[in-house]
Amino acid sequence: MSSEKQAEEAIVSSLNETMEHEEEDQGDNSVFSVKSLLWHGGSVYDAWFSCASNQVAQVLLTLPYSFSQMGMLSGIILQVFYGVLGSWTAYLISVLYIEYRTRKEKENVSFKNHVIQWFEVLDGLLGPYWKAIGLAFNCTFLLFGSVIQLIACASNIYYINDKLDKRTWTYIFGACCATTVFIPSFHNYRIWSFLGLGMTTYAAWYLTIAALVHGQVEGVTHQGPTKLVLYFTGATNILYTFGGHAVTVEIMHAMWKPQKFKYIYLLATLYVFTLTIPSASAVYWAFGDQLLNHSNAFSLLPHSAWRDAAVILMLIHQFITFGFACTPLYFVWEKVVGMHDTKSICLRAVSRLPVVIPIWFLAIIFPFFGPINSAVGSLLVSFTVYIIPALAHMLTYKSASARKVNS
């Protein structure tokens, strides 16, 4: 326990120095106080909002589709299973982050102008091969996660305004989402995380209430899984729901006391259950097997001002989630081109543009996101969320001496 306490003290000391430096630069005035309230996040609550907001976005709209593929009981059980298991691996990631940062702090390495990322943790603890594996899986996952957000924006707005086709809407929202290059780091998502979770909460409960008020359609059927391939397609979409681990380390690094992250992801997941399970169950109960041909839950609900509000709020939230997915990619690219420690927001924003453009291009090519969710879940999330963190933790603490130091 003494070594863990020393590690925490070293990290807190380093963070205090960074915060003091920031305060000296900004000065003492009321404008800075308001700016800190809205812009400079780093508390336990900020991390909880970030985790919860990032976990559930457009996938909320495809979960009823997954329920139609695999049945309600399996859908609920797998949500709970993947959510709890994902919380456990997020805890393992937090332990590895603290271990890596402790070692670096002992070597007098400063992270004042550097954001630690998952591939760097793997590199420091297990070597360059693990760094390459972590970098490949995380970057690919985040790349397609960003693409999915753009596609989902175009798909959702189409239910309000169908005068433009979905590909044209993708052009428009790609330009809007490109403005995330001006958000420096996860410290600066404080107000956005709070608003994003509020918007998703509204959308989830709109789906639940609207489906219950609508009632079951005439001749509704709930056949559940009719083909094995449909069952596992639905399962991988649920797997993707709880796959926000690609940004876990960046969220931890943005905290003033990252050692307090350990149980935040679990608490965020428990809240997410209150959004995903009722909404998916209600929509599937109301529309049944019709959902097999409608991957977006909005498409079956009647047009109303309430639905339009839910669509608009989901659009804003998807913009926020796009930023969550892209920001780690921005960091990686900044480190490649040597711009990561640059203080100028404008210079960093310009250097980040080569990351946004390919994402925009891919979103235009693939104008559908339901099947992509399942593909990303099966090919990327399984490794990024479950396999790699568990293996990395086992190998880091495989020796008795390493386990003793960590105890």
Side-chain angles (χ1 to χ4, degrees):
M1 289 298 292
S2 59
S3 61
E4 185 177 345
K5 212 164 189 178
Q6 289 174 358
E8 293 180 0
E9 288 173 357
I11 292 172
V12 171
S13 174
S14 173
L15 288 169
N16 285 341
E17 288 176 10
T18 302
M19 290 170 65
E20 285 171 10
H21 184 270
E22 289 177 355
E23 287 173 5
E24 287 172 8
D25 290 345
Q26 298 287 347
D28 273 338
N29 53 56
S30 58
V31 175
F32 173 60
S33 299
V34 174
K35 186 178 178 183
S36 295
L37 181 65
L38 301 178
W39 187 248
H40 289 291
S43 68
V44 170
Y45 301 104
D46 291 313
W48 183 86
F49 276 110
S50 293
C51 288
S53 180
N54 184 54
Q55 262 193 71
V56 57
Q58 95 297 328
V59 76
L60 181 74
L61 308 177
T62 62
L63 284 175
Y65 170 63
S66 296
F67 273 38
S68 70
Q69 293 173 316
M70 62 193 313
M72 187 179 296
L73 181 61
S74 291
I76 294 172
I77 290 173
L78 285 182
Q79 277 199 51
V80 174
F81 175 72
Y82 286 142
V84 172
L85 191 61
S87 299
W88 170 246
T89 53
Y91 169 77
L92 298 182
I93 290 173
S94 73
V95 171
L96 294 173
Y97 169 87
I98 295 295
E99 177 68 27
Y100 169 78
R101 184 156 184 175
T102 300
R103 294 183 187 183
K104 291 300 179 181
E105 294 286 354
K106 288 179 179 177
E107 297 171 6
N108 295 319
V109 176
S110 173
F111 296 106
K112 186 166 62 177
N113 295 316
H114 184 94
V115 176
I116 298 173
Q117 296 188 265
W118 176 230
F119 71 89
E120 294 171 320
V121 173
L122 292 174
D123 183 29
L125 298 178
L126 298 173
Y129 292 110
W130 278 88
K131 173 186 177 180
I133 292 170
L135 191 60
F137 275 100
N138 264 34
C139 287
T140 308
F141 171 56
L142 291 168
L143 173 70
F144 281 99
S146 303
V147 170
I148 288 168
Q149 298 308 319
L150 281 185
I151 297 170
C153 284
S155 176
N156 289 340
I157 194 64
Y158 195 73
Y159 295 116
I160 294 179
N161 186 336
D162 58 1
K163 292 179 182 178
L164 299 176
D165 60 66
K166 292 182 180 180
R167 189 165 272 116
T168 303
W169 279 118
T170 305
Y171 280 110
I172 296 169
F173 282 107
C176 294
C177 289
T179 58
T180 57
V181 297
F182 290 100
I183 302 178
S185 73
F186 282 93
H187 274 299
N188 313 113
Y189 275 95
R190 163 172 275 186
I191 187 64
W192 295 113
S193 296
F194 175 78
L195 293 175
L197 188 57
M199 294 167 186
T200 310
T201 300
Y202 172 88
W205 284 106
Y206 159 75
L207 291 174
T208 305
I209 296 169
L212 294 175
V213 170
H214 181 279
Q216 291 186 313
V217 295
E218 186 177 351
V220 65
T221 58
H222 300 88
Q223 293 183 14
T226 55
K227 296 179 181 178
L228 201 59
V229 66
L230 287 179
Y231 187 89
F232 284 104
T233 301
T236 52
N237 187 45
I238 294 175
L239 183 71
Y240 176 75
T241 306
F242 301 98
H245 295 51
V247 298
T248 299
V249 170
E250 287 83 357
I251 291 174
M252 278 191 71
H253 190 82
M255 293 179 68
W256 298 320
K257 296 181 179 180
Q259 70 274 13
K260 291 188 175 183
F261 181 86
K262 294 179 180 178
Y263 306 109
I264 288 175
Y265 202 92
L266 175 61
L267 295 174
T269 299
L270 293 177
Y271 179 77
V272 168
F273 285 154
T274 69
L275 306 181
T276 58
I277 294 176
S279 60
S281 301
V283 175
Y284 179 56
W285 169 82
F287 298 100
D289 295 333
Q290 285 189 21
L291 285 158
L292 289 169
N293 300 315
H294 297 82
S295 61
N296 191 321
F298 282 143
S299 64
L300 287 172
L301 291 166
H303 185 275
S304 68
W306 298 103
R307 194 190 75 164
D308 287 353
V311 170
I312 292 169
L313 291 177
M314 282 300 292
L315 286 172
I316 299 171
H317 182 254
Q318 280 154 357
F319 164 81
I320 297 167
T321 309
F322 179 90
F324 269 109
C326 259
T327 299
L329 294 176
Y330 295 153
F331 293 156
V332 173
W333 182 248
E334 285 173 355
K335 291 169 185 177
V336 170
V337 298
M339 296 291 290
H340 187 59
D341 57 353
T342 302
K343 292 184 178 181
S344 171
I345 293 177
C346 291
L347 284 176
R348 291 180 69 184
V350 171
S351 71
R352 291 172 171 189
L353 287 175
V355 177
V356 177
I357 294 170
I359 292 170
W360 196 357
F361 178 73
L362 288 171
I364 293 167
I365 293 176
F366 302 106
F368 48 85
F369 70 93
I372 294 180
N373 280 356
S374 298
V376 170
S378 61
L379 298 175
L380 299 173
V381 175
S382 55
F383 282 91
T384 305
V385 175
Y386 303 102
I387 298 172
I388 293 175
L391 284 175
H393 188 272
M394 286 190 289
L395 291 174
T396 300
Y397 297 110
K398 64 180 180 180
S399 67
S401 59
R403 292 194 297 274
K404 186 176 180 181
V405 169
N406 188 56
S407 64

